[in-house]
Amino acid sequence: MKSTTRLLTALTKSQYSRTLRYGMIALAGFILASCSQQVKPPVKDAESVSVEKPKADPVASDAQQTGETSTVPAPQWETPEEWAALMYRTLTISQLKEQDSSGSVKQTKIRRPLTVGSVLGTDAQKTDSKPEKSLFPQYYQLVANGTIDDLNAALNKAEQIPAAGEQAEAYCGIAWALLAEEAFLRAKPYLVQGEKLLPQAQDSEGHEQRLHLYAKAFARSGDSNKAVEVAQQIANLDLREETIISISGQIAKTGDVEQALGFVETIKNRKSQSQALQQITLILAKSNACNQACTITGQITDEETRFKALEGIALELAKAGRGSQALEVVQQINFLHRRPWFLRSLAILLIETGYFEQALEIAPLIDGSRDQSTYLMEVAIALAETGESKQAQEVVQQIPMLDSRRIAVAKVASGLLKAGQVNGALKIAQQIEYDEMKESILYRIASELAAQGERVLSLTALKEATTSTQRLGRPMPFSRTIPLLAYQWVASEPTSEEKPEFVRNLKPAFTPEEKQLAESLLQAAQQKK
C-alpha cells in the first residue's frame, strides 16, 4: 500500500500524459479508478502490491504490438453540473484564459469614441453649452416657456429666497431666459440685482460657478466691461481663463463680430486667443455665416485649434446640405492623417443629429474608393448603433471596396448589438465572411441572448462561434463556452411592482443539441490536455 501511495503522489499530470503515450493503459486505468470516488476497494495487503505483477491486458497488448495509441475512455456525465465539473477538472489554468491566435492572453480592443465634443474640441468647455438651464431649471423654464404672469410669479418666488447665493442663481436664471429671447434690456436689471448679491455668498458652495455664469450673461447682454470685471473675481485660474475665452463667444452671439474680435486682442495668452477665435467661428458657422468663419480661421495661430475650427465649420456646412463646400473646408486641414479621421467623425455626427440624407450626399463627393468606403462604413455603423438595421444594410451595399464591405457587415452586427437589437445582430452576424470577426461577435451575441433567456438562439450563436474558432485553429475559449452552455438566466419572483431580477443557475438538464455541443467541447478539452 505504501508503494501505491508513493506512486499516486509522484504521478503528475504531465507524467500521466507520458504514461498514456507509452501505452501503459492498465496502470493508468488503475490510477484513474483509485482517484475517482474509490470505485474499487483498496488492497489490504500492501506487500502484495509491490510483489504482484499486473495481469496482462489483451487490449493493451494488441495496441502495443500494432503500434496504435489507445486512449482512456472519458468519464461519463449526465447533468450540466457534472459536465461543468468534469470540464474544469480536465482543463489547465492556461486553457481557461481567453487567448488570441498567437497564444498570448487576449487584450480587449476599445474603439475610440467619437463625440461632438471630441471632434470640435469643446469637451473641456462644458460650460459653453448653457449650463444655466441645469443650474436653475425652475426659474429658466418659468420664464422661457411662460407668459408675463409666469415671469412675475418667478420674480415673486425669487424675492422670497432667504439665502443670497440661491437668490442670485434665481435672478441669473430669469435673466438667461430673457437673453435667450434676445430681450437684452429686460434682462439687464435682473443681472444687476443678482450681481449685487454675489459678495454676500462668496463663502458658499458654487460661488465661482455663479461668477462664471454672471460674466457670460453680462457679455451676452452686450456689457463686455462688466463681464470682464466679474470674471476677474474668479480665484480659480483655469475657470477664470475659460470665462474670459467664453466672453468673446457671447459677444459674437449679439451680432457684433467686430467687438468680439476686438475683445480677443485683449487676451494675453496666445493659446487662449486661438480658443476664443474658434468659439467665434463656430457661432458664425451655426448662423450660416460660414464664409466669414473660414476667413477668421486664418487668424488662429495655434494649428491644432485652427483645424478644430475648420472641422466645426465643415460640420455645419454638411448639416445645411452644402456637402461640396464642407469637403473644400476639409481640404484646408493640413494634418493629412486627420482628414480620414474627421470624415468618419462627420458621418457619425450627421447620423446622430438626424442628417441621414446629407450624410449620403457627401459620399460621392469624396475622392478615392478607399476614403469613400471608410466614410460609408461609418455611416452604416452609425445607423446600426441607432437601431436602423435596414438602412444600415442598404448603405453597406453601396461600399465600393469588397474588403471594406465585408468588414462593414461585422461592424453593423456589432452596432445592432450595441443598440439592443440582439436578434437582428445574430442575423447579420451569420452573414459575416471573416471568421476572425464572426467568432468574436457571435460569442458576445450568444452571451446576450442567454442573459435574455433565449436559450435556443443562444445555442445557435454559440455553435457557430465555436465552429469559427475551430476553422481558425485557435484554442477554444472555454472560459466563455462553459458558463454559456451549463448555465441559464432565470427570473426571480417579483416581490413588488418592480421588474424581477435575473439570476444565473445551472441548467437542470441539457437538450439533445446542447448535449451534442457539450460532448464536442469535452473532446476538445481532452485533446488539448
Side-chain angles (χ1 to χ4, degrees):
M1 184 66 181
K2 292 180 179 180
S3 60
T4 304
T5 305
R6 286 195 298 271
L7 180 60
L8 292 174
T9 304
L11 196 60
T12 63
K13 285 186 176 181
S14 59
Q15 290 171 325
Y16 170 55
S17 299
R18 290 197 295 271
T19 303
L20 284 177
R21 288 197 294 270
Y22 284 101
M24 297 178 68
I25 305 302
L27 181 59
F30 174 77
I31 294 168
L32 281 174
S34 301
C35 294
S36 60
Q37 300 180 359
Q38 297 292 335
V39 175
K40 294 182 180 181
V43 181
K44 294 181 180 179
D45 190 351
E47 293 181 2
S48 65
V49 176
S50 59
V51 176
E52 281 188 19
K53 295 181 179 180
K55 294 180 180 181
D57 189 337
V59 177
S61 299
D62 292 341
Q64 290 172 1
Q65 289 174 6
T66 58
E68 295 178 357
T69 304
S70 299
T71 57
V72 178
Q76 297 297 310
W77 56 272
E78 292 294 336
T79 66
E81 182 178 5
E82 292 172 348
W83 174 79
L86 179 57
M87 287 290 288
Y88 285 121
R89 287 202 305 271
T90 303
L91 295 167
T92 61
I93 293 176
S94 61
Q95 286 176 291
L96 289 172
K97 290 182 179 178
E98 189 177 349
Q99 298 180 338
D100 58 23
S101 56
S102 64
S104 59
V105 177
K106 185 175 181 181
Q107 301 293 327
T108 303
K109 294 182 180 179
I110 301 175
R111 183 184 174 199
R112 178 171 58 174
L114 300 176
T115 63
V116 175
S118 67
V119 174
L120 305 183
T122 56
D123 275 351
Q125 300 169 6
K126 300 295 184 185
T127 52
D128 192 51
S129 58
K130 292 188 179 179
E132 56 276 1
K133 292 183 181 180
S134 59
L135 185 60
F136 27 70
Q138 55 179 327
Y139 299 101
Y140 187 96
Q141 294 299 333
L142 275 173
V143 179
N145 301 324
T147 63
I148 295 296
D149 291 336
D150 294 323
L151 172 60
N152 292 330
L155 289 172
N156 291 333
K157 193 172 183 180
E159 291 172 358
Q160 297 174 18
I161 299 175
E166 293 180 11
Q167 192 174 37
E169 290 176 9
Y171 283 125
C172 194
I174 293 169
W176 267 112
L178 293 170
L179 290 171
E181 300 295 327
E182 298 188 354
F184 303 124
L185 294 177
R186 294 186 64 189
K188 192 69 176 288
Y190 305 120
L191 285 176
V192 173
Q193 190 172 355
E195 191 265 338
K196 290 179 181 179
L197 296 168
L198 293 177
Q200 303 176 35
Q202 59 184 357
D203 296 329
S204 62
E205 185 180 358
H207 176 64
E208 301 253 294
Q209 185 66 18
R210 286 191 286 270
L211 289 171
H212 169 81
L213 291 171
Y214 266 92
K216 287 177 60 178
F218 275 114
R220 183 73 179 89
S221 70
D223 193 345
S224 58
N225 292 330
K226 187 64 175 180
V228 173
E229 179 188 328
V230 174
Q232 293 299 336
Q233 300 175 37
I234 300 174
N236 185 295
L237 297 180
D238 291 335
L239 183 59
R240 184 195 303 172
E241 194 70 13
E242 179 185 339
T243 306
I244 294 294
I245 292 169
S246 67
I247 287 173
S248 58
Q250 296 300 328
I251 296 173
K253 286 182 180 180
T254 65
D256 195 342
V257 180
E258 292 301 321
Q259 184 186 359
L261 293 174
F263 180 81
V264 171
E265 294 178 359
T266 66
I267 300 175
K268 297 179 181 180
N269 185 285
R270 299 297 293 272
K271 176 71 173 179
S272 298
Q273 270 191 4
S274 294
Q275 292 175 348
L277 288 170
Q278 180 197 0
Q279 284 200 13
I280 293 173
T281 60
L282 290 177
I283 290 165
L284 289 172
K286 290 177 180 179
S287 303
N288 204 25
C290 293
N291 292 336
Q292 186 179 8
C294 285
T295 303
I296 292 174
T297 58
Q299 302 178 32
I300 300 176
T301 56
D302 182 76
E303 287 295 290
E304 180 69 18
T305 307
R306 178 172 175 268
F307 298 146
K308 288 178 179 178
L310 289 170
E311 289 165 352
I313 295 168
L315 173 62
E316 295 303 323
L317 285 168
K319 286 163 64 176
R322 298 157 66 183
S324 58
Q325 288 181 274
L327 292 178
E328 287 177 8
V329 173
V330 172
Q331 295 304 315
Q332 298 181 42
I333 300 175
N334 295 334
F335 287 172
L336 298 181
H337 70 280
R338 286 182 67 96
R339 290 184 190 174
W341 180 84
F342 177 68
L343 286 173
R344 292 195 294 269
S345 310
L346 184 62
I348 293 170
L349 292 169
L350 287 172
I351 296 300
E352 288 181 345
T353 50
Y355 294 93
F356 172 60
E357 296 298 331
Q358 289 85 339
L360 289 182
E361 287 172 1
I362 288 177
L365 303 174
I366 299 173
D367 294 329
S369 58
R370 182 174 297 278
D371 285 343
Q372 269 192 28
S373 298
T374 300
Y375 177 81
L376 285 170
M377 186 190 302
E378 291 298 332
V379 172
I381 294 169
L383 285 168
E385 290 179 350
T386 56
E388 299 292 342
S389 175
K390 184 178 178 181
Q391 287 182 318
Q393 294 178 70
E394 290 174 354
V395 173
V396 168
Q397 297 307 312
Q398 299 178 33
I399 297 175
M401 294 184 65
L402 178 60
D403 184 62
S404 298
R405 192 158 60 244
R406 289 172 173 171
I407 294 172
V409 174
K411 298 284 189 180
V412 166
S414 180
L416 289 172
L417 181 61
K418 182 179 178 181
Q421 296 191 9
V422 190
N423 291 0
L426 176 58
K427 291 178 182 178
I428 302 298
Q430 290 172 322
Q431 304 172 23
I432 299 173
E433 297 184 43
Y434 292 147
D435 278 320
E436 293 86 348
M437 296 180 173
K438 190 173 188 176
E439 174 198 35
S440 174
I441 183 66
L442 280 171
Y443 280 122
R444 289 165 54 202
I445 290 172
S447 178
E448 188 63 32
L449 286 168
Q452 293 181 5
E454 296 285 355
R455 186 168 173 177
V456 175
L457 290 176
S458 176
L459 178 63
T460 300
L462 183 58
K463 286 171 67 175
E464 293 200 34
T466 55
T467 301
S468 293
T469 301
Q470 290 170 344
R471 280 199 297 261
L472 291 167
R474 291 179 177 176
M476 191 65 65
F478 294 109
S479 60
R480 283 184 171 187
T481 55
I482 295 174
L484 278 174
L485 195 56
Y487 288 84
Q488 64 182 354
W489 290 90
V490 181
S492 61
E493 291 293 333
T495 55
S496 63
E497 295 181 357
E498 296 180 359
K499 294 181 179 179
E501 294 183 357
F502 285 84
V503 294
R504 194 174 71 167
N505 295 328
L506 277 163
K507 294 176 182 176
F510 279 142
T511 64
E513 293 80 8
E514 290 172 338
K515 189 168 185 178
Q516 184 180 7
L517 181 57
E519 287 283 7
S520 65
L521 290 175
L522 180 58
Q523 290 175 11
Q526 290 171 336
Q527 289 170 2
K528 296 292 182 181
K529 190 173 178 181

